[in-house]
Amino acid sequence: MNATLSGVSRALTRHVARYTHDASTPFTARRDERMSGYAVSVPQDLGAQGDWLGEHGVDVGGLRARWPTPSELLRVLQHLAGHQTDTTETLDLLTFSVTETAGVQHISANEARAWLDEHGDDADLAGAEQGFTIIQGGWAELRVPDFTGDWNEPHPFDFDGGSADLVARIMLGVTGLTGPLLIMQEGAGVPVLVRAGAPHDALAARLRGA
């Protein structure tokens, strides 16, 4: 069976420049060579793949959980001290962008070109006329890809990218509401089973592949 468990759920990876343009703001730069996605699954959806996981030390036998509602996701995110959450709804896609407040630096248009001339490349310069934002701290982007418009209906979600420490904090908060969930970083091979109350540092290390 495929070690990436592509049949369980999708893991998204975007290879991007060191500083990436975000169309939702005048300009956003993230200090990341790569933004790796994390796929999330509920145990009872695994079917026969649960046996494969058991062979790799992940026992999901008898475990059941549910997907969170968008309202619950937002509540978890809003309880992250020192972070801000921006919500975007486009057609059937709901996105939560979470950033560490202390790591957000706004640069004016007058400073933008000089900064990008030092740190960026020619492609970046075209987006700098209105200034931009640098995100240097923890961040995560959650997606509800099949949003029905009902904030109180359980929905599948995933992470379009994010720092392992923050993704771990969010998953621990969500599983306190839903029960145990599985998460897998793109290319990691075997998903990690997340239970509420698990040690944060150990989970973050697993997500980093440490």
Side-chain angles (χ1 to χ4, degrees):
M1 186 172 292
N2 190 312
T4 62
L5 285 183
S6 58
V8 176
S9 53
R10 60 195 176 281
L12 303 175
T13 300
R14 288 184 290 159
H15 294 267
V16 295
R18 185 176 184 182
Y19 304 99
T20 60
H21 184 201
D22 181 348
S24 65
T25 60
F27 197 88
T28 300
R30 284 196 175 97
R31 288 182 178 272
D32 286 279
E33 297 291 343
R34 176 178 173 178
M35 299 197 299
S36 295
Y38 295 86
V40 181
S41 300
V42 292
Q44 64 266 28
D45 286 352
L46 297 179
Q49 293 174 341
D51 296 334
W52 181 88
L53 281 176
E55 295 172 3
H56 289 78
V58 183
D59 184 8
V60 297
L63 294 180
R64 297 191 64 82
R66 63 172 176 83
W67 290 110
T69 68
S71 292
E72 289 173 329
L73 284 175
L74 183 58
R75 187 161 72 246
V76 168
L77 301 178
Q78 289 176 334
H79 279 82
L80 294 170
H83 292 76
Q84 63 185 43
T85 299
D86 296 313
T87 303
T88 304
E89 183 180 343
T90 306
L91 297 176
D92 58 352
L93 174 64
L94 180 63
T95 303
F96 299 105
S97 299
V98 189
T99 53
E100 188 175 353
T101 307
V104 178
Q105 177 186 357
H106 300 284
I107 293 182
S108 70
N110 291 334
E111 301 168 306
R113 286 189 172 273
W115 191 93
L116 283 173
D117 197 28
E118 178 181 355
H119 297 89
D121 56 33
D122 292 340
D124 290 327
L125 296 176
E129 289 81 0
Q130 300 179 53
F132 59 90
T133 302
I134 307 171
I135 300 174
Q136 295 177 291
W139 67 277
E141 187 164 292
L142 286 74
R143 305 180 336 129
V144 179
D146 298 307
F147 182 48
T148 65
D150 186 348
W151 282 74
N152 296 310
E153 176 186 349
H155 284 71
F157 76 100
D158 57 32
F159 291 85
D160 200 23
S163 51
D165 286 343
L166 184 54
V167 170
R169 289 180 62 186
I170 293 170
M171 285 297 295
L172 290 171
V174 172
T175 54
L177 301 172
T178 65
L181 298 172
L182 289 138
I183 184 169
M184 180 185 71
Q185 185 179 18
E186 190 277 336
V190 179
V192 178
L193 181 63
V194 182
R195 298 176 185 267
H200 167 269
D201 291 348
L203 176 57
R206 293 284 304 278
L207 294 179
R208 283 193 297 267

